[in-house]
Amino acid sequence: GTGSCPDVENSFVVTINALPSAPVTTDVSYCVGDVAAPITSSVTATGTLTWYSDAAGTIVIAEPTIDTSVASSTTYYVSQTDTNTCESGVSSISVTVNSIPVIATTQTPLTGCDTDDGIITVSGGGATGVVNWSGPVSGSSGSVTLPYDITGLEPGTYDVTFTDDATGCTSAAEQESFVNPGAPVIDPIADYES
């Protein structure tokens, strides 16, 4: 005869997990020669990070290591994958390594013995920032555009630096020395022999 098969019902539970949020990133800026923190210190996420070189999130790269030996600007992209193996969208993180400003100094000598009218002129391509000097007289310019004259300097040796307003990077120190004009030159060997 003709048989009949009982209807069998099967039920399935389908879970659709929400995608995790993209990581929260903070752009970072360094000066050439700085010791860079790991790039992950600028990322807030709860999942496993995946790094990309492109905004579309298609070219996977290793976790970037920040190289501060040369000036550069690079943008990386990062996503996070949660415990459900769901991957978020990407967030960008810009890494900038700024060059160290270069300055030059020249001096206008003292006009007399023990005067305080020495001048150091600081030049550096029209950059804007803060000139600092230390020595017998120390001080700071506040924000100025180079060239800048440090005035009222007395005899002695001065170290001068410049910190760029835009980058926060500080130049190497330049040194200038002022001597009293007409001061006798002492030759310790000749004086001892006489």
Side-chain angles (χ1 to χ4, degrees), residues 68-162:
T68 63
S69 64
V70 294
S72 63
S73 182
T74 309
T75 301
Y76 300 103
Y77 302 88
V78 62
S79 69
Q80 66 173 326
T81 301
D82 65 15
T83 54
N84 296 313
T85 67
C86 296
E87 185 176 8
S88 71
V90 298
S91 295
S92 65
I93 180 169
S94 174
V95 178
T96 304
V97 180
N98 296 295
S99 57
I100 299 296
V102 176
I103 61 170
T105 56
T106 55
Q107 67 168 268
T108 303
L110 303 171
T111 58
C113 195
D114 286 327
T115 58
D116 60 357
D117 60 356
I119 300 171
I120 296 175
T121 299
V122 184
S123 55
T128 299
V130 177
V131 176
N132 289 292
W133 59 96
S134 60
V137 176
S138 297
S140 180
S141 67
S143 183
V144 295
T145 299
L146 299 181
Y148 175 78
D149 286 341
I150 305 169
T151 59
L153 301 177
E154 57 191 53
T157 298
Y158 295 85
D159 288 322
V160 179
T161 61
F162 173 77

Side-chain angles (χ1 to χ4, degrees), residues 24-26 28 30 36-44 49 51 63 66 93:
V24 176
T25 58
T26 304
V28 290
Y30 294 98
I39 196 168
T40 52
S41 65
S42 297
V43 179
T44 301
L49 301 180
W51 293 91
E63 178 182 312
I66 300 171
I93 180 169

Side-chain angles (χ1 to χ4, degrees), residues 5-18:
C5 296
D7 290 335
V8 177
E9 292 186 15
N10 290 319
S11 62
F12 299 93
V13 176
V14 177
T15 302
I16 300 175
N17 295 303

